[in-house]
Amino acid sequence: MKQYNVGVIGATGMVGQRFMLLLENHPWFNVVVLAASARSAGKTYQEAVGNKWAFDCAMPEKYRNMVVMDAEADIDEIAKKVDFVFCAVNMKKEEICVLEEAYAKKEIPVVSNNSAHRFTADVPMIIPEINPQHLDVIASQKARLGTKRGFIAVKSNCSLQSYVPLLHPLKAFGIKQAAVCTYQAISGAGKTFTTMPEILDNVIPYIGGEEEKSEKEPLKIWGNVENGEIVCATAPVITAQCLRVPVSDGHTAAVFVSFDKKPTKEEILTAWANFAGVPQELNLPSAPAQFIRYFEEDNRPQAKLDRMEGNGMSVTVGRLREDVLFDYKFVGLSHNTLRGAAGGAVLLAELLAAKGYMD
């Protein structure tokens, strides 16, 4: 596979730091640019991050002395150095929209971890195993932007990874409705136990904007490309509640689902065990060999034990059983900063590269 020079925009935040760890030895992607806000620009990466390095492992030596660039002011210089960029910035939604389109118009593909463009009709929001066909809309986006190779592709919200991949193989049985309650780790807020002391011995029953994303984003993922836009699906109906819990990493979901044609438990287990997508077919570097793993034990999956399944890129599930209100209920788990954030974006970039969109 061709080698690509990449930039990480928003490199100093928690997701940006996770990108650094994932890309340190990536076989296809070579980080040549780190960029952040003006207050970090001109500093070395180590100086810019300071005491906010969020992981137990050390900052990769190869990035420590790289000088951080200004994500906005240095865009012309950055564009000369990179083949594409990852974007994980902490800015207002309107500002992110402008920034990402500015990179795209400089003919730089943008793989975004941000929510700003998730409902832009010609921007694909991809879970690579589920809706890679949505990449077809990029041609229409390029026409709108007036670009030859510049575009924006986004990943979906981190909490979706704990239940949408589990519902997707079951759509063959006609999902009527689903209810989900997510129990989300503090790293989803960019926090650690040191920087979020209020979460200790506590559960916070509100995460701003999260329930709307959890209910609406699956319908775009399950939508269709029509006339150069992604038209969202109108069903199934999903209702969600999202809670912040004292867990470092790993989003857990309690899921309840009803079907048009109720499958047997064995049919559901078979659908999960056999499900694979284009990333597995192409053997992409970050793709887990087994996308969905079911645990027979009553007390699994657990965040502490199972979030790193498939190097943090698999989705785990357990406790499948019949329900008195819905047809079935089960518990899902995904690693929110790997499959849910930076890892999902890297896998999306691998898919785009394998399909020729980065050339």
Side-chain angles (χ1 to χ4, degrees):
M1 172 60 70
K2 176 182 174 181
Q3 301 293 300
Y4 296 89
N5 289 330
V6 305
V8 178
I9 313 302
T12 57
M14 180 178 281
V15 175
Q17 293 174 29
R18 178 65 84 177
F19 274 120
M20 297 296 93
L21 294 173
L22 290 173
L23 297 171
E24 181 183 9
N25 297 303
H26 196 279
W28 300 356
F29 304 150
N30 178 39
V31 177
V32 297
V33 166
L34 304 179
S37 65
R39 64 179 176 272
S40 296
K43 299 178 182 178
T44 66
Y45 186 60
Q46 186 169 20
E47 291 169 341
V49 172
N51 62 0
K52 294 181 180 179
W53 181 254
F55 300 97
D56 293 335
C57 58
M59 177 185 290
E61 188 66 35
K62 65 192 294 185
Y63 304 128
R64 288 176 182 269
N65 294 317
M66 286 183 66
V67 176
V68 177
M69 302 180 74
D70 188 319
E72 295 177 280
D74 294 336
I75 187 170
D76 287 330
E77 187 177 351
I78 293 170
K80 295 175 184 177
K81 296 175 179 289
V82 300
D83 296 308
F84 71 91
V85 296
F86 293 103
C87 189
V89 295
N90 183 17
M91 300 167 64
K92 294 179 180 179
K93 181 176 179 179
E94 297 78 13
E95 296 171 342
I96 294 173
C97 286
V98 171
L99 180 69
E100 292 182 343
E101 286 205 357
Y103 275 90
K105 288 178 179 178
K106 294 292 183 180
E107 301 293 356
I108 301 302
V110 178
V111 180
S112 177
N113 196 72
N114 302 302
S115 65
H117 274 294
R118 285 182 189 157
F119 280 94
T120 303
D122 59 8
V123 172
M125 179 171 64
I126 303 290
I127 297 177
E129 284 88 351
I130 293 176
N131 61 328
Q133 71 276 12
H134 284 190
L135 296 180
D136 292 345
V137 81
I138 288 175
S140 298
Q141 185 193 148
K142 288 179 178 178
R144 174 176 63 86
L145 296 174
T147 60
K148 293 183 178 179
R149 68 182 298 272
F151 63 87
I152 303 162
V154 303
K155 58 161 295 300
S156 60
N157 193 46
C158 56
S159 65
L160 268 65
Q161 322 303 317
S162 60
Y163 62 95
V164 170
L166 303 174
L167 290 173
H168 184 73
L170 309 183
K171 290 185 75 213
F173 305 111
I175 297 174
K176 288 196 297 187
Q177 57 188 2
V180 60
C181 188
T182 59
Y183 305 87
Q184 300 186 203
I186 59 175
S187 56
K191 301 290 186 178
T192 64
F193 288 116
T194 300
T195 58
M196 195 178 186
E198 67 272 22
I199 199 65
L200 296 174
D201 192 30
N202 198 15
V203 171
I204 299 174
Y206 174 72
I207 305 172
E210 201 75 2
E211 286 155 4
E212 181 181 19
K213 295 173 186 176
S214 298
E215 294 171 352
K216 292 185 176 181
E217 288 188 18
L219 298 179
K220 182 172 182 180
I221 290 167
W222 288 326
N224 295 306
V225 177
E226 299 177 14
N227 300 316
E229 295 185 347
I230 298 170
V231 178
C232 295
T234 57
V237 174
I238 297 176
T239 183
Q241 288 213 104
C242 302
L243 293 77
R244 188 73 71 193
V245 295
V247 171
S248 59
D249 294 298
H251 288 353
T252 299
V255 186
F256 305 79
V257 58
S258 291
F259 299 94
D260 293 325
K261 181 182 178 182
K262 183 179 177 179
T264 65
K265 181 177 179 180
E266 290 69 27
E267 286 176 323
I268 292 176
L269 293 175
T270 297
W272 284 338
N274 293 340
F275 184 75
V278 172
Q280 285 72 39
E281 295 170 8
L282 296 177
N283 196 28
L284 298 179
S286 298
Q290 185 71 37
F291 182 36
I292 297 171
R293 178 185 174 185
Y294 184 80
F295 286 97
E296 297 285 351
E297 298 92 334
D298 288 337
N299 63 347
R300 306 283 285 275
Q302 294 181 28
K304 193 170 185 178
L305 298 179
D306 303 315
R307 59 194 170 206
M308 288 305 297
E309 184 74 22
N311 293 319
M313 293 297 288
S314 293
V315 179
T316 54
V317 57
R319 302 208 68 211
L320 174 65
R321 59 218 191 275
E322 294 192 49
D323 184 62
V324 296
L325 292 178
F326 292 77
D327 287 333
Y328 286 97
K329 53 191 172 186
F330 54 84
V331 175
L333 170 71
S334 63
H335 195 302
N336 55 294
T337 68
L338 288 169
R339 167 58 72 166
V346 172
L347 183 62
L348 172 53
E350 292 168 0
L351 176 65
L352 287 161
K355 295 290 186 179
Y357 286 92
M358 301 303 196
D359 296 336

